[in-house]
């Protein structure tokens, strides 16, 4: 055993770090039920007023619908593209593969505000900005790399002889894909769907630039924030946080659960 | 790997390659290349016209306020990177060397959650917590301290950057430390190297690549973020990201905003490449 005081100090330290990371998330939930307009200590009374205010906010319902449409479409599209890219990387060596992988993984390293401007310019060029589809197009670019990474991880756990074995037994490429590879990667596909939906659901910079009048929820939040402190945001924010946390937790459980089960199997 | 026997076109293989190339080519490479072209366009009566004009570059880079903002953004991002690296290290060190497998698994699980949950909502929560009459100042006043101005200061901006970068930095550093060969650490101890000295002489050099990658991500994230400097830092003076918004949103000056954006990309590439070159440099 190492020096006990160091361990205790490190334990306290990591507690503080987790407190820092989760303080805003917890605070958002607590403040959303707090009657004070400017929440402080001691806390005011319990209220659901901010939720009611948010619920009757005329801007919010269309925004919620837009957010859901965008998140769903983005999840489907980016998971499909991510899957094709991950499978290509798993199975094939070809000229220009490094370029292919860079193309697949680079988008998250470009700051969102830059992507937002570039996307606005590009889409306006084709009179394609200011629509819900514009947001889906942009979000798919940003989310596909995450889907690709998750599915690639799962393919890494697959026995490389499985596919050739199916071929030897007479299955065609497409039959093998449908009966071997897709079932094997299913948990990671669902995880990718959840995670990309979460990323899309929370993205605000690119949406703000390309959405025009078709705002999503994060864009509405951004616009409320530019005004005064409005506790409505805590109520909307709590719901948004719950949705994305749920999606991320489902995604993680699927990825982690499977990692463990194959870990014990092999 | 199943080798391809046939020389003829393998349609199956191609059909898996095409979606990414088409989509990211059209909507990732396309926009970025177009932004280069856009930086030479001119704006007449609030409408952008295709042209090849160096005016945007000369006007934008000729203004002292651009360079003030440029160096401010660089300093802030470097500051955030150093702070995040330092604050993350004790945690990742504990997770990798002292925590149980289960604890580490759960810690990483919990650290991934904030990275994918609304940054905007978390920043708003900080705004309320750090306000003049906020939770922290109310808590401090119980001890007769404060109130301290934390919003609209550099401190506020850094809190925002840490919120953005810290979880990711701890995760990446933990993975880097997990890759360190434990036998080398024990060997150092056996040869009489002190605990503290071992960290700097053995562990950190071995985990260097992962630490640099974590730091590069912090730099990229904080260099491009506009929410922390705007809502927690009061945007006084504006960072480059805020400058892009101001120029493009209010003035419709997309070409000039493109100049700022391209300067940011060049800077990011420069920083990232030199950092990676440093990380992979062979040890003497």
């Amino acid at each position: 055993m190492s020096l006990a005081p160091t361990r205790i100090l490190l334990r306290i330290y990591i507690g503080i770090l987790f407190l820092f990371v989760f303080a805003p998330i917890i605070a958002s939930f607590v403040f959303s039920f707090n009657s004070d307009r400017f929440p402080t200590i001691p806390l005011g009374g319990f209220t659901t007023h901010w939720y009611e205010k948010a619920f009757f906010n005329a801007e919010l319902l269309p925004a919620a619908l837009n957010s859901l449409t965008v998140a769903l479409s983005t999840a489907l599209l980016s998971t499909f593209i991510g899957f094709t890219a991950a499978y290509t990387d798993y199975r094939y060596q070809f000229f220009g593969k490094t370029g292919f992988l860079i193309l697949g993984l680079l988008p998250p390293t470009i700051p969102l505000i830059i992507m937002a401007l570039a996307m606005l310019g590009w889409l306006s060029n084709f009179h394609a900005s200011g629509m819900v589809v514009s947001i889906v197009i942009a979000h798919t670019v940003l989310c596909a790399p995450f889907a690709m990474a998750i599915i690639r991880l799962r393919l890494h756990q697959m026995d490389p002889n499985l596919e050739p074995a199916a071929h030897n037994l007479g299955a065609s490429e497409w039959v093998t894909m449908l009966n071997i590879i897709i079932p094997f990667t299913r948990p990671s596909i669902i995880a990718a769907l959840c995670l990309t939906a979460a990323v899309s659901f929370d993205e605000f910079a690119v949406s703000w630039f390309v959405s025009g009048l078709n705002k999503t929820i994060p864009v509405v939040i951004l616009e409320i924030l530019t005004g005064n402190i409005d506790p409505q945001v805590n109520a909307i924010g709590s719901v948004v946080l719950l949705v994305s946390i749920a999606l991320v937790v489902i995604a993680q459980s699927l990825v982690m659960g499977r990692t463990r089960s194959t870990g014990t199997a092999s | 790997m199943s080798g391809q026997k046939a020389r003829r076109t393998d349609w199956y293989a191609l059909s898996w390659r095409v979606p990414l190339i088409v989509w990211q080519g059209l909507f990732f490479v396309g926009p970025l290349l177009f932004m280069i072209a856009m930086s030479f366009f001119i704006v007449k009566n609030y409408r952008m016209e295709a042209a090849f004009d160096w005016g945007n570059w000369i006007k934008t880079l000729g203004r002292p306020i651009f360079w003030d903002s440029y160096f401010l953004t660089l300093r802030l991002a470097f500051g955030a990177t150093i702070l995040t690296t330092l604050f993350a290290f004790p945690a990742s060190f504990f997770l990798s060397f002292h925590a149980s497998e289960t604890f580490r698994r759960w810690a990483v699980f919990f650290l991934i959650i904030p990275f994918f949950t609304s940054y905007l909502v978390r920043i708003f929560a900080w705004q309320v917590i750090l306000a003049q009459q906020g939770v922290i100042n109310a808590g401090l006043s119980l001890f007769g301290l404060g109130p301290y101005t934390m919003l609209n200061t550099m401190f506020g901006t850094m809190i925002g950057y840490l919120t953005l970068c810290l979880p990711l930095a701890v995760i990446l550093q933990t993975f880097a430390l997990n890759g360190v060969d434990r036998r080398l650490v024990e060997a150092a101890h056996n040869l009489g190297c002190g605990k503290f000295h071992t960290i700097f002489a053995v562990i950190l050099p071995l985990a260097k690549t992962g630490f640099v990658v974590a730091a590069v991500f912090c730099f990229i994230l904080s260099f491009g973020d506009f929410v922390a400097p705007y809502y927690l830092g009061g945007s006084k003076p504006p960072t480059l990201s805020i400058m892009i918004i101001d120029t493009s949103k209010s003035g419709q000056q997309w070409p000039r905003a493109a100049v700022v954006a391209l300067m940011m990309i060049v800077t990011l590439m420069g920083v990232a490449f030199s950092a990676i070159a440093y990380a992979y440099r062979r040890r003497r």
Side-chain angles (χ1 to χ4, degrees), chain B residues 20 30 46 49 54 85 93 132 138-139 157-158 165 178 193 206 219 254-255 260 262 273:
Chain B
L20 181 90
Y46 299 101
E49 280 176 29
W54 285 91
T85 306
F93 181 75
Q132 202 75 9
T157 311
M158 283 300 155
C165 305
N178 281 345
C193 188
L206 285 172
F219 186 85
W254 295 358
V260 179
L262 289 169
F273 281 130

Side-chain angles (χ1 to χ4, degrees), chain B residues 211-230:
Chain B
F211 273 68
V212 172
V213 169
V216 167
F217 268 104
C218 294
F219 186 85
I220 293 175
L221 286 174
S222 33
F223 192 72
D225 177 39
F226 69 92
V227 175
Y230 191 86

